Amino acid sequence: MNTKSLIDKIFRSSKATIDEISAILADENVDYLFFMADHARKLYCGDKVHIRGIIEFSNHCKSRCLYCGINCHNNSLERYRMDLDEIVQTAKIAYDAGYKTIILRSGEDPWYTQEKISILIRRIK
C-alpha cells in the first residue's frame, strides 16, 4: 500500500499500527501527510485559535524530582506562593483578557490542601 492510501485508511478508521506509522514517517514526501493533518484540524477544531493561560501559583514543592527546577533540594530558588484571592484575581484578569482556558499549576505544595483547592476552583468558576 502506498503512503497516500495508508494515510487515507488511517484517517478514515482512526487506527494505525506501529508499522504503518513507521512507513509513513519513513517516506520523505510529507506533503500529503501535512495536507491531511490540516484537513483533520479543520474538521475537528475549525480555524479558530484557542489561547490558554497558565497561572503558576506556587513554586514550593515537597518532591525531589531530579529533572525539575523547583524540587525541594533547589536552595538557590526564590520561593513564592500566591494566596487564594490573588489566584482568583489573576484568573479574572486572564479571562477578561480573552483566555477561555486557564491552567492552574504549582509544585506539590502542601499549603494548598484539598479544601483550599476546591474553594479556589469554585470561586474561579
Side-chain angles (χ1 to χ4, degrees), residues 5-18:
S5 299
L6 191 53
I7 292 169
D8 289 339
K9 174 192 156 296
I10 294 167
F11 184 81
R12 284 190 309 275
S13 69
S14 297
K15 295 180 179 159
T17 67
I18 290 175

Side-chain angles (χ1 to χ4, degrees), residues 60-73:
H60 287 263
C61 191
K62 66 180 184 177
S63 295
R64 297 173 174 85
C65 305
L66 297 177
Y67 63 85
C68 183
I70 66 169
N71 74 66
C72 64
H73 292 302

Side-chain angles (χ1 to χ4, degrees), residues 48-108:
K48 294 181 181 178
V49 174
H50 300 275
I51 299 174
R52 293 169 173 86
I54 299 174
I55 300 173
E56 295 185 358
F57 58 91
S58 172
N59 69 350
H60 287 263
C61 191
K62 66 180 184 177
S63 295
R64 297 173 174 85
C65 305
L66 297 177
Y67 63 85
C68 183
I70 66 169
N71 74 66
C72 64
H73 292 302
N74 186 349
N75 296 323
S76 64
L77 186 62
E78 185 176 334
R79 302 290 177 170
Y80 68 90
R81 178 183 290 135
M82 295 169 70
D83 64 36
L84 300 186
D85 289 335
E86 188 178 7
I87 299 168
V88 171
Q89 183 60 28
T90 303
K92 182 184 179 336
I93 290 168
Y95 182 80
D96 290 346
Y99 293 91
K100 301 306 181 214
T101 301
I102 299 169
I103 300 164
L104 300 174
R105 182 166 64 185
S106 76
E108 291 190 38

Side-chain angles (χ1 to χ4, degrees), residues 109-118:
D109 186 344
W111 187 84
Y112 297 99
T113 62
Q114 182 177 350
E115 181 182 352
K116 285 179 183 174
I117 294 294
S118 296

